[in-house]
Amino acid sequence: MNNITLGVHLIVNNEADLLPHCLTSVAGVDEIVVIDTGSTDESIAISQAHGARVFQREWTENFAAARNEGLDQADTDWILVLDADERLQTPLPELRSLLQNTQAQAFTVHIDNWLGVRPEDKVKHSAVRLFRNGQGYRYSGRIHEGIDAAILKSHNISAIVHSDIEIEHFGYLPEIMARKNKIKRNEQLLRRALAEQPEDPFHSYNLAVTCCQDGRLQEAETLLRQTLHHVPLEASYRPTMIRDLCKIYLTQGKTNIIDPLLLPELERYEDYPDLHFLLGQSLESQGLLERAFQAYQRAASISGDHVSQ
């Protein structure tokens, strides 16, 4: 068996409360690289106690720049990127087995974003978090940074393979959002990113998400409606935009808008259970119980635990 090495990379700033759980979840990797952007708590000491190599850099309000600093320090064949408020759920031997003899350049992972304490209080999404080192890939994006574009510049989409790797994310829990003032920070960075790249719909979408988190639903609705016209059909986040817009419409009781929006989109994204579930909610609120039941059945048949409420 090939001796494939795996490293884990994190950006850290005052994460002493959650960091130990994150680092414990990846115990046994070949390397941990931590870019610390100004911690004043025990984050550096905790990282070093778990065997991490810690590099301190000034925070420049640019997550991609911090990620790329970590790439410059990497010594492993593969890199798994985590946040300090995340935990790897998949056993490490399964990751190592996945990397043996693969032709892939990168893998997507499943991320469970916890919004509350109940099992249904979570939203799933997928993202590229595991990729080959030493290929010249660089992150882009001041916030919600990604490496997908760099990979796709050199390879076609088949170079990115979906995996069953599971990660839990706790950073959207209300108490953590409030304690770290994430909404204000994210909005400032997103507005700055939009000023730099006004035509990038991904920034507008994420600004809408931030407005939702802050309870500004009307502003979020306007942003989503405007942005939806400019997002390519193949964009990975487009069905999530439709989901979020329909959730806002449901909250506002605008079921007359939901059905005409969802029906054509379900033809494009028929395997996305959240959209079927939202259609069921809309139909149920209109008293169309038989059709609602069919929509719920379709959502459950695709993947019951992917349905978010």
Side-chain angles (χ1 to χ4, degrees):
M1 185 174 288
N2 296 333
N3 184 27
I4 302 296
T5 55
L6 173 64
V8 169
H9 286 215
L10 298 94
I11 301 172
V12 168
N13 190 317
N14 290 336
E15 302 284 0
D17 50 346
L18 295 173
L19 186 57
H21 303 289
C22 174
L23 295 176
T24 298
S25 76
V26 296
V29 296
D30 301 292
E31 174 181 76
I32 300 175
V33 173
V34 169
I35 302 299
D36 187 276
T37 61
S39 294
T40 56
D41 63 4
E42 297 300 313
S43 292
I44 292 177
I46 291 169
S47 300
Q48 292 172 335
H50 283 80
R53 298 164 56 212
V54 180
F55 301 89
Q56 295 175 271
R57 78 183 307 274
E58 181 182 357
W59 173 238
T60 60
E61 297 189 330
N62 190 313
F63 280 95
R67 293 286 186 207
N68 290 333
E69 175 91 7
L71 298 185
D72 292 338
Q73 308 297 335
D75 287 330
T76 54
D77 300 313
W78 286 82
I79 293 171
L80 174 68
V81 170
L82 293 178
D83 291 335
D85 53 14
E86 295 178 336
R87 300 176 197 174
L88 177 65
Q89 293 296 103
T90 303
L92 197 58
E94 291 186 24
L95 266 73
R96 293 193 182 278
S97 177
L98 178 68
L99 302 180
Q100 299 297 327
N101 303 314
T102 182
Q103 299 301 309
Q105 291 293 309
F107 291 94
T108 63
V109 305
H110 298 294
I111 303 174
D112 276 333
N113 300 283
W114 286 92
L115 309 178
V117 297
R118 301 175 303 172
E120 63 268 27
D121 291 338
K122 62 180 179 180
V123 174
K124 279 184 178 283
H125 80 280
S126 296
V128 175
R129 291 291 198 88
L130 180 62
F131 54 90
R132 290 184 187 271
N133 183 33
Q135 308 300 305
Y137 304 142
R138 306 294 283 180
Y139 272 91
S140 59
R142 182 176 291 278
I143 183 172
H144 300 301
E145 69 284 1
I147 204 160
D148 317 36
I151 297 171
L152 295 176
K153 280 184 179 179
S154 304
H155 305 275
N156 61 36
I157 191 64
S158 64
I160 300 176
V161 176
H162 298 295
S163 81
D164 294 326
I165 297 170
E166 297 276 351
I167 292 172
E168 283 190 308
H169 175 228
F170 300 94
Y172 289 150
L173 289 170
E175 61 271 23
I176 296 176
M177 292 284 288
R179 185 169 71 246
K180 296 185 177 297
N181 203 12
K182 283 189 174 182
I183 291 175
K184 181 178 180 180
R185 180 206 68 184
N186 289 356
E187 182 168 352
Q188 289 175 340
L189 291 178
L190 284 165
R191 292 196 183 280
R192 185 169 174 180
L194 269 172
E196 296 166 345
Q197 299 173 299
E199 302 303 317
D200 190 331
F202 187 59
H203 298 322
S204 297
Y205 164 59
N206 283 298
L207 181 58
V209 172
T210 300
C211 290
C212 278
Q213 293 168 339
D214 200 32
R216 289 141 52 197
L217 296 187
Q218 189 57 56
E219 186 176 352
E221 178 193 338
T222 300
L223 278 166
L224 287 171
R225 283 193 291 103
Q226 293 173 345
T227 305
L228 195 56
H229 296 297
H230 305 290
V231 179
L233 293 177
E234 65 273 14
S236 61
Y237 59 92
R238 189 176 183 277
T240 310
M241 286 184 62
I242 297 162
R243 180 200 66 189
D244 293 348
L245 183 55
C246 287
K247 283 186 173 183
I248 293 174
Y249 286 152
L250 270 175
T251 300
Q252 297 171 334
K254 298 179 179 178
T255 54
N256 61 312
I257 304 178
I258 294 176
D259 297 0
L261 171 63
L262 271 180
L263 291 175
E265 298 295 349
L266 279 168
E267 295 181 8
R268 295 189 181 103
Y269 311 115
E270 61 178 353
D271 292 331
Y272 189 29
D274 292 49
L275 298 186
H276 292 279
F277 186 82
L278 284 163
L279 179 60
Q281 287 185 303
S282 175
L283 293 169
E284 183 179 3
S285 70
Q286 299 172 64
L288 303 172
L289 301 185
E290 184 175 348
R291 289 178 58 196
F293 181 69
Q294 292 173 348
Y296 289 142
Q297 278 190 315
R298 176 59 179 153
S301 71
I302 299 170
S303 180
D305 62 0
H306 284 197
V307 177
S308 57
Q309 299 186 28

